[in-house]
Amino acid sequence: MEEPRDLEPRDEKACEVRRRVEAVWRIESARVVAGLARVTRDVGLAEDFAQDALVAAMEQWPAEGVPDNPGAWLLSVGRRRAVDWFRRQETLARKEVELGRVLALSLASGDLPGVAAFAAVEEDIEDDLLRLVFTTCHPVLAPEARVALTLRLLGGLTTGEIARAFLVPEPTVAQRIVRAKKKLAAADVGFSAPVPSEFAERLGSVLEVVYLIFNEGYSATAGSDWLRPELCHDALRLGRVLTGLLPRESEVWGLLALMEIQASRARARLGRDGAPVLLMDQDRGRWDWAAVGRGLAALGKAESLTDSLGPYGIQAAIAACHARARTAEETEWARIAALYGLLAQMTKSPVVELNRAVAVSMASGPEAGLAVLEGLSSEKSLEGYHLVPGVRGDLLARLGRSVEARVEFERAAGLTQNEVERQVYLSRAEALSTAP
């Protein structure tokens, strides 16, 4: 089963119940899938049973009312479906015994089936969520498949919502999810947290997926929207869940700090006309200072857990430099350039080096930035990357080399897939063509 069946509400009460069902699903779906995956040992089956429970809720709650503990209700119904399914699989007798025991616990709780059993296993749910995170972000899957599966199983998004968020056809997302689940089953990944020797690799994949989701919301790679706030919110929620599950991991706090501080600028990144506003030109009074405070606190936590910040922690430290500057002129560009230098040594990423070129230009002048940029001229992975000519155009413009700058901005406009960004580059090129 890939999507809950569409049940048309017949009256206002049914519509209200349906809205509550959808809200409950967003909050509880990951916990329900995780709880079911623990007993089925298969995330694909767990999702099917969770979806069956959701359909049952849509059918029963309008007539019977929403239960006091809807998450427990969904989990209980999902377990019943699992038991029924395993009973039909005569060759899986061992699992039938195990699930029968779980069902017996659920039925022993009185009028509301499953509440006591749900409470009894509550302390295990966090471990189940952790296993689910590490399963959906398993390195055996391609990054796009990890993103789709994570948003589906942990974010509670439908296939259509994921497709709209990433501007890809819905059948493409559906195929990614189906193939991902099959690949996990074929690789015998199961449903378990990694052993210590695998932990570093798996955690890196988890953090990568969460940040990929955030970045797509913060700066859309394609389409007509510059921001997609709902994706940022989903990534932040996942990041907060991870800090609860892994409170001793500095990089987890570093990623949360980075996302909180970056998200704090969302309102200031668009002008009243809908045009993007660059960081140095933003009205800092429009920043979300509560989010800045949460980000700085998370960064402090990350720093307290290690003597040497990792890549996400360093990026958060860079973001904090901007957050602590009350005006653009007070920005500590020399410190930012040094942090980018450290990050470049650590990651060997040409994109980080590109960012370092900008920081160096702000600290030491555009000529120094161009020198750093020149070192990237033979980097194959940056061919076709619109930010390279975009940055070069900016540095040339600051040096008064307008003709060269205009060519670079036009080249950047031709490379970007985001319409808003394209218009920004074209506007900058046009302004240079009419400059005295």
Side-chain angles (χ1 to χ4, degrees):
M1 180 183 298
E2 287 306 309
E3 296 287 356
R5 290 187 288 274
D6 186 29
L7 303 176
E8 287 297 331
R10 294 183 174 82
D11 53 38
E12 184 56 34
K13 180 182 177 182
C15 289
E16 175 58 27
V17 171
R18 182 184 179 115
R19 285 193 287 270
R20 291 194 64 184
V21 171
E22 291 172 349
V24 166
W25 182 249
R26 279 295 179 99
I27 297 170
E28 299 287 352
S29 61
R31 294 159 65 87
V32 173
V33 172
L36 293 171
R38 177 157 58 91
V39 290
T40 63
R41 318 302 295 178
D42 184 311
V43 293
L45 275 179
E47 190 197 7
D48 285 348
F49 298 138
Q51 295 280 0
D52 284 352
L54 175 62
V55 172
M58 288 181 169
E59 292 172 340
Q60 296 182 34
W61 291 1
E64 300 173 5
V66 178
D68 293 338
N69 190 334
W73 192 97
L74 290 167
L75 182 57
S76 178
V77 171
R79 284 172 174 161
R80 288 171 182 270
R81 298 292 191 272
V83 169
D84 291 342
W85 188 89
F86 279 117
R87 279 179 174 157
R88 290 195 295 270
Q89 313 301 310
E90 293 182 356
T91 56
L92 299 176
R94 183 184 59 78
K95 289 190 175 183
E96 180 181 351
V97 171
E98 181 181 352
L99 289 166
R101 179 182 62 78
V102 174
L103 178 60
L105 287 173
S106 298
L107 294 174
S109 60
D111 293 338
L112 191 60
V115 172
F118 188 88
V121 299
E122 185 72 17
E123 62 183 21
D124 296 329
I125 288 294
E126 297 304 302
D127 288 340
D128 290 341
L129 280 172
L130 183 60
R131 293 188 187 98
L132 186 59
V133 170
F134 277 95
T135 300
T136 59
C137 298
H138 196 283
V140 74
L141 301 176
E144 60 270 19
R146 294 180 215 163
V147 169
L149 201 57
T150 301
L151 286 175
R152 176 62 176 270
L153 299 186
L154 284 160
L157 274 64
T158 66
T159 303
E161 288 172 326
I162 299 169
R164 286 193 294 276
F166 287 92
L167 303 177
V168 295
E170 189 169 336
T172 300
V173 172
Q175 287 173 6
R176 283 179 187 168
I177 291 172
V178 170
R179 288 171 183 164
K181 288 188 285 191
K182 286 182 178 178
K183 196 163 188 176
L184 288 175
D188 198 23
V189 168
F191 184 67
S192 60
V195 298
S197 61
E198 300 171 325
F199 193 80
E201 179 192 14
R202 299 277 292 275
L203 179 60
S205 177
V206 169
L207 299 183
E208 178 186 358
V209 167
V210 174
Y211 195 41
L212 188 61
I213 294 169
F214 179 85
N215 265 336
E216 188 59 32
Y218 190 69
S219 187
T221 55
S224 57
D225 294 326
W226 177 245
L227 297 169
R228 296 198 182 114
E230 68 283 1
L231 284 178
C232 291
H233 293 158
D234 283 332
L236 276 164
R237 188 174 66 80
L238 291 172
R240 291 170 189 143
V241 168
L242 284 174
T243 58
L245 297 173
L246 301 165
R248 304 298 302 169
E249 290 295 330
S250 174
E251 275 292 82
V252 174
W253 286 102
L255 174 59
L256 180 61
L258 174 60
M259 293 192 297
E260 289 278 16
I261 295 173
Q262 287 187 323
S264 73
R265 305 174 196 146
R267 282 182 301 183
R269 295 186 74 226
L270 285 177
R272 299 192 186 284
D273 59 353
V277 180
L278 299 178
L279 175 61
M280 300 303 287
D281 300 325
Q282 289 174 7
D283 176 0
R284 298 182 181 218
R286 298 187 68 197
W287 287 3
D288 180 347
W289 289 98
V292 170
R294 291 194 298 271
L296 294 178
L299 177 58
K301 183 72 175 178
E303 291 170 333
S304 73
L305 292 170
T306 181
D307 294 329
S308 178
L309 289 173
Y312 292 112
I314 293 175
Q315 290 178 78
I318 292 170
C321 288
H322 293 293
R324 290 184 175 117
R326 305 303 295 186
T327 66
E329 292 72 23
E330 293 177 15
T331 306
E332 290 186 89
W333 283 109
R335 173 168 168 71
I336 292 174
L339 286 168
Y340 269 123
L342 189 61
L343 189 62
Q345 291 177 9
M346 188 178 296
T347 65
K348 309 299 182 189
S349 165
V351 175
V352 170
E353 191 67 1
L354 179 63
N355 288 330
R356 190 173 78 85
V358 175
V360 167
S361 77
M362 297 301 291
S364 306
E367 287 279 11
L370 279 174
V372 176
L373 201 58
E374 183 62 27
L376 292 171
S377 58
S378 61
E379 180 58 55
K380 296 290 185 185
S381 64
L382 292 181
E383 289 182 356
Y385 188 41
H386 65 284
L387 287 182
V388 174
V391 169
R392 185 179 289 112
D394 183 67
L395 299 181
L396 290 168
R398 287 165 56 192
L399 287 168
R401 294 159 62 177
S402 300
V403 175
E404 296 167 86
R406 187 174 69 247
V407 171
E408 295 295 335
F409 285 139
E410 289 172 346
R411 184 170 164 230
L415 291 173
T416 182
Q417 298 180 51
N418 186 283
E419 184 57 32
V420 176
E421 202 167 30
R422 188 192 324 279
Q423 291 305 317
V424 170
Y425 285 128
L426 290 176
S427 296
R428 296 198 69 181
E430 183 178 359
L432 288 170
S433 67
T434 58

